[in-house]
Amino acid sequence: MNIETRKLTLEDYDDLKESMLQAYDTLGGQIWSKATIAKLLSLFPEGQLCIAVDNKVVACSLSIIVDYDEYGDKHTYKLITGEYTFSTHDPNGDTLYGIEIFVSPEYRGLRLGRRLYEARKELCETLNLKSIVAGGRIPGYHAHAATMSPREYIDKVKAKELYDPTLTFQISNDFHVRKVLKNYLPGDHESKDFATLIEWNNIYYQGIDASARSAKTIRIGLVQWQMRLFPDMETFYEQVEFFVDAVSGYKSDFLLFPELFNTPLLQPYNHLPEMEAMRKLAELTEEIVLKLHEYAVSYNVNIITGSMPILDNGKLYNATYLCHRTGKTDEYRKIHITPNEQKYYGMVGGDKIQAFDTDCGKVGILICYDVEFPELSRILANQGMQILFVPFLTDTQNGYTRVRHCAQARAIENECYVAIAGCVGNLPKVNNMDIQFAQSAVFTPSDFAFPTNAVKAETTPNTEMMLVVDVDLHLLDELHHFGTVKILKDRRKDLYEVKLLK
């Protein structure tokens, strides 16, 4: 599955029409004509957004810009759209007005509506508009109209005493209700001809030129995973999804799990030699990666899956996967295998070093011991990496110290951010996985724009928790060109070089 949020085009109309017919079934099947879509695209092309799944448009968001004071809070849909001609669109207006948003019913479990709202918010900020306003249906109201007013119904939905498929979703996406509208959209019998006037405020509008504001702030979520035994796979997935849901709730762009975080699942094989047990665990990897891939898409967050053992042509590797929220998956195999991994599990190292393109720029992944070899991260930096993710697993504090200090060095010498996430706790019933020590963190370069200790944030040691951190890629650009020292630029390429041999 490939998911793409992009501008709508007229060539998308056939797919759009099919999705509209499905989405508008309860409203009598009324749909937007091709001529109307063409007019919106000619007036305000950047305001017409869609989501394509495997190149088929299945969700859409339509908008115009208005000078809101001309219409006020008592307007109708007919008035705000200029009797559906969109003559009210004003490129010099101050408000992004949502005139439509829908998701095909077949795809509503993927949280595509949230992606459209996030795209609208980004557009609002980019255009330096003060807010997003729209009239929202309350399709659940008809079931309660005999016993409560629209305001009472809305208050109960806001208090989560009632669920409304439209209003609950809008509130969860940071919109608030300005007022109740009567006869906003005549014929909406489910809403009993009522609607909510909803608004999202652009906090960057006042005093800040949003067009000049850095649009490169990336939010990273780290999971410091508590090792515990799981009675079955369902319980394991529940714990994984808990963290995915929590980090996604903070609108994170990336989520990092630790190295070999699934080794509690070794417990049923504890009667086997360690090498055989790890190979049995490898049989679960494909299933686990598929589940994390589903979470990445449905929760709209790029997931670095920690690491897991995989078997390939009889050889055992320690691999991690980058599950993109667009549906793509990349793989990286740990290159430097520790003596412990070789001795007890018979693991071998991978042989591919590659920076990965994501919707948030280029990132690299190194697994634990790999970060102690500076050549790898330098090669990734040469490929354009801006964030390095390091899932790790260390049993003792001195092992952790090696990973931490090397990761900090990699951030400074490569002018990038480095995020590390590890496991904590004990596994007394799993051979060779008895104890773990970790303090997960995000490290930065060392210059005036960054924390004086080059640590953006870190967790409490040896405690299960998650860490959510914002990093600004724009600061890396400034460091590269105007830093106190310019490490990447000042290398003596006439004297030495680091390069791949294959």
Side-chain angles (χ1 to χ4, degrees):
M1 181 182 293
N2 182 63
I3 299 177
E4 180 186 12
T5 304
R6 59 171 173 81
K7 294 179 184 177
L8 185 70
T9 68
L10 198 58
E11 288 72 26
D12 295 318
Y13 184 76
D14 289 341
D15 287 347
L16 185 69
K17 180 179 179 181
E18 180 182 343
S19 296
M20 282 189 289
L21 286 170
Q22 296 171 359
Y24 295 161
D25 183 58
T26 59
L27 293 177
Q30 298 178 2
I31 64 171
W32 295 84
S33 70
K34 189 172 185 178
T36 300
I37 296 297
K39 184 167 187 179
L40 282 168
L41 289 172
S42 66
L43 286 172
F44 184 29
E46 58 266 54
Q48 319 317 321
L49 304 168
C50 70
I51 294 180
V53 176
D54 295 333
N55 296 318
K56 178 184 177 181
V57 171
V58 300
C60 181
S61 163
L62 307 176
S63 308
I64 58 176
I65 298 173
V66 299
D67 184 351
Y68 193 76
D69 288 342
E70 290 188 18
Y71 306 97
D73 287 350
K74 295 183 179 181
H75 63 268
T76 63
Y77 188 81
K78 186 176 181 180
L79 175 65
I80 203 74
T81 61
E83 298 191 3
Y84 318 111
T85 66
F86 311 111
S87 59
T88 51
H89 174 68
D90 180 1
N92 298 314
D94 59 5
T95 300
L96 186 67
Y97 197 93
I99 58 175
E100 179 61 276
I101 189 167
F102 73 84
V103 177
S104 172
E106 183 180 351
Y107 294 88
R108 285 179 183 167
L110 299 177
R111 296 177 175 84
L112 302 185
R114 183 164 71 177
R115 296 192 188 211
L116 288 174
Y117 273 147
E118 291 303 314
R120 265 188 184 171
K121 293 173 185 177
E122 184 177 344
L123 178 64
C124 182
E125 293 175 359
T126 300
L127 297 178
N128 196 25
L129 302 174
K130 70 178 182 180
S131 63
I132 302 172
V133 174
R137 301 178 62 231
I138 43 175
Y141 176 59
H142 69 280
H144 303 274
T147 58
M148 62 184 71
S149 68
R151 173 57 65 186
E152 291 171 328
Y153 174 78
I154 291 169
D155 287 342
K156 288 186 176 294
V157 172
K158 289 165 66 176
K160 298 184 179 180
E161 296 176 21
L162 293 174
Y163 172 81
D164 184 274
T166 299
L167 181 57
T168 298
F169 176 70
Q170 292 164 339
I171 292 172
S172 69
N173 280 275
D174 304 322
F175 282 80
H176 65 272
V177 179
R178 284 179 63 131
K179 71 183 284 58
V180 177
L181 301 173
K182 176 65 174 173
N183 295 321
Y184 176 78
L185 189 63
D188 183 1
H189 303 301
E190 287 185 321
S191 305
K192 306 299 286 185
D193 291 333
F194 287 101
T196 58
L197 184 65
I198 60 170
E199 181 179 40
W200 175 84
N201 295 306
N202 175 13
I203 63 172
Y204 298 107
Y205 177 74
Q206 292 294 336
I208 298 177
D209 179 3
S211 64
R213 186 178 60 86
S214 170
K216 294 186 176 182
T217 299
I218 306 302
R219 182 160 292 176
I220 299 171
L222 309 181
V223 175
Q224 187 157 285
W225 176 268
Q226 172 77 43
M227 290 294 211
R228 57 168 70 79
L229 298 180
F230 297 98
D232 49 46
M233 290 297 294
E234 182 179 355
T235 308
F236 170 74
Y237 289 135
E238 284 177 357
Q239 188 65 32
V240 172
E241 188 174 12
F242 164 78
F243 281 114
V244 176
D245 183 27
V247 170
S248 173
Y250 288 101
K251 298 180 175 60
S252 296
D253 298 294
F254 290 98
L255 168 58
L256 176 63
F257 282 100
E259 179 185 24
L260 296 176
F261 78 104
N262 67 329
T263 48
L265 302 176
L266 280 169
Q267 195 270 335
Y269 315 120
N270 213 35
H271 62 287
L272 299 174
E274 286 93 338
M275 189 176 298
E276 292 182 32
M278 190 61 75
R279 286 174 174 255
K280 293 292 290 184
L281 183 64
E283 295 176 4
L284 300 175
T285 294
E286 183 177 357
E287 174 191 330
I288 295 172
V289 173
L290 180 61
K291 180 66 72 172
L292 285 163
H293 173 272
E294 293 173 1
Y295 292 156
V297 172
S298 62
Y299 285 95
N300 192 28
V301 58
N302 300 302
I303 298 177
I304 297 93
T305 65
S307 79
M308 290 167 266
I310 62 165
L311 273 172
D312 186 2
N313 291 323
K315 294 181 178 180
L316 190 67
Y317 296 88
N318 187 348
T320 187
Y321 298 85
L322 171 53
C323 296
H324 299 251
R325 52 188 170 192
T326 59
K328 177 184 175 184
T329 299
D330 289 308
E331 179 189 88
Y332 169 76
R333 297 181 181 183
K334 187 175 183 178
I335 290 174
H336 297 93
I337 302 301
T338 65
N340 186 78
E341 290 171 304
Q342 292 174 342
K343 176 180 178 181
Y344 291 100
Y345 307 130
M347 284 183 170
V348 297
D351 57 8
K352 188 174 183 180
I353 308 170
Q354 178 187 352
F356 300 111
D357 289 307
T358 74
D359 57 357
C360 299
K362 283 202 172 189
V363 305
I365 305 174
L366 298 176
I367 300 175
C368 198
Y369 193 30
D370 283 340
V371 81
E372 298 177 32
F373 297 84
E375 296 88 352
L376 298 187
S377 54
R378 177 52 52 84
I379 290 168
L380 292 172
N382 289 340
Q383 294 176 1
M385 170 196 69
Q386 294 175 294
I387 305 174
L388 176 62
F389 293 99
V390 182
F392 73 91
L393 176 68
T394 50
D395 53 353
T396 62
Q397 192 166 357
N398 57 327
Y400 166 74
T401 298
R402 288 194 301 270
V403 171
R404 179 186 177 96
H405 286 278
C406 288
Q408 282 196 276
R410 304 297 86 88
I412 293 170
E413 68 197 16
N414 294 301
E415 299 175 350
C416 67
Y417 296 104
V418 178
I420 67 172
C423 295
V424 299
N426 309 305
L427 276 179
K429 295 184 180 181
V430 177
N431 291 335
N432 205 42
M433 284 288 168
D434 313 72
I435 59 174
Q436 287 79 34
F437 182 96
Q439 183 178 21
S440 305
V442 175
F443 304 121
T444 73
S446 184
D447 212 323
F448 295 118
F450 304 97
T452 54
N453 63 352
V455 179
K456 180 69 175 179
E458 57 190 350
T459 63
T460 303
N462 271 9
T463 301
E464 182 171 62
M465 60 185 296
M466 69 179 195
L467 183 68
V468 179
V469 182
D470 284 347
V471 297
D472 188 347
L473 302 186
H474 181 69
L475 294 180
L476 300 180
D477 297 333
E478 290 185 347
L479 174 70
H480 182 67
H481 294 287
F482 308 111
T484 304
V485 295
K486 306 174 186 66
I487 296 173
L488 292 179
K489 280 189 172 184
D490 291 342
R491 287 173 293 167
R492 285 285 304 275
K493 296 181 180 180
D494 62 314
L495 186 62
Y496 61 88
E497 64 179 339
V498 177
K499 65 179 181 180
L500 281 168
L501 297 179
K502 62 178 181 178

